[in-house]
Amino acid sequence: MKKSTLLLAASLLPLLSACNSIAPNSAAASVATTPEAAWVGEARQVAGSVPPKLMAVLKTEMQQGGPAHAIGVCQVVAPNMAQAASQATGWQIRRVSLGNRNPKAVPDSWERQTLETFERQQAAGADASKLERAEVVTENGQQVKRYMRALPVQEACLQCHGTADKLGPGVAARLSERYPHDKGTGYLLGPVRGAMTLRQNVQ
């Protein structure tokens, strides 16, 4: 039988943007206290551990070689960080986006639905840095724990993901070279850029 929990709630994890306080809704608060939702805290911690490390690397690369140089670094470093975290934690981890840059970052149907929900909630006034979803779903007869955490656009992101007037020197040319089908520009400060997505089979 399918079991599901849904968390679109507040949390205080350090992500890629400043955190503003919003109260969790009552449904999410009650779900978080149940034994079957104990894995959510672990997933939340794992999802929050990768973005700050990646941002630190990208900021260093931007300082040393500019934003166009950082694009190439991100292309290699981001997947490697996710793979390393996956091996260390036992969770399958990746980043996805409705405006994906990397072809491997295309969301599946569950992830797409979640990202669309995040965008609607953010448009309604929710803090994008606090949006998350946790659910146990059944896939091909196997119960799977799934978790997503929104990644909002912050100031440093605009040099590579912003509108044309915000892109850093050489970025447009580098994107055309490395990502000819890029969908990852045109963003403004604050909205959901994408999400960390985790999955793990229920044992």
Side-chain angles (χ1 to χ4, degrees):
M1 180 180 294
K2 176 179 176 180
K3 299 179 181 178
S4 66
T5 61
L6 180 64
L7 291 176
L8 290 168
S11 139
L12 299 177
L13 282 174
L15 288 174
L16 298 182
S17 69
C19 295
N20 298 316
S21 297
I22 61 173
N25 59 49
S26 58
S30 63
V31 166
T33 63
T34 59
E36 62 268 24
W39 61 270
V40 176
E42 177 187 344
R44 184 180 295 122
Q45 182 176 8
V46 171
S49 67
V50 178
K53 295 176 182 177
L54 176 59
M55 182 56 74
V57 171
L58 292 179
K59 284 183 176 179
T60 298
E61 295 299 330
M62 286 185 183
Q63 291 171 356
Q64 294 179 350
H69 171 68
I71 290 172
V73 174
C74 186
Q75 186 177 25
V76 176
V77 172
N80 287 347
M81 282 187 171
Q83 183 178 10
S86 297
Q87 294 174 346
T89 64
W91 288 89
Q92 296 177 38
I93 305 168
R94 68 187 188 119
R95 294 186 304 167
V96 293
S97 175
L98 295 176
N100 62 291
R101 172 160 291 169
N102 190 325
K104 296 181 180 180
V106 176
D108 63 23
S109 59
W110 186 88
E111 292 163 340
R112 177 172 293 277
Q113 180 189 62
T114 303
L115 286 167
E116 290 172 349
T117 299
F118 286 168
E119 288 191 347
R120 287 194 297 270
Q121 291 220 331
Q122 191 276 329
D127 182 350
S129 71
K130 310 291 182 63
L131 297 176
E132 61 179 355
R133 180 184 183 185
E135 186 176 9
V136 177
V137 302
T138 300
E139 299 176 352
N140 300 318
Q142 169 69 54
Q143 285 193 317
V144 181
K145 293 176 285 189
R146 304 207 63 174
Y147 177 88
M148 284 183 70
R149 181 71 183 222
L151 296 173
V153 178
Q154 67 172 11
E155 190 68 39
C157 303
L158 297 177
Q159 295 189 69
C160 296
H161 292 285
T163 53
D165 60 311
K166 295 291 185 180
L167 296 180
V171 167
R174 185 62 58 88
L175 290 177
S176 178
E177 173 190 334
R178 290 181 178 265
Y179 297 103
H181 304 293
D182 177 47
K183 301 176 184 177
T185 59
Y187 285 89
L188 301 176
L189 183 66
V192 175
R193 163 75 187 98
M196 296 298 298
T197 180
L198 282 66
R199 59 183 296 139
Q200 186 182 79
N201 290 343
V202 175
Q203 301 301 319

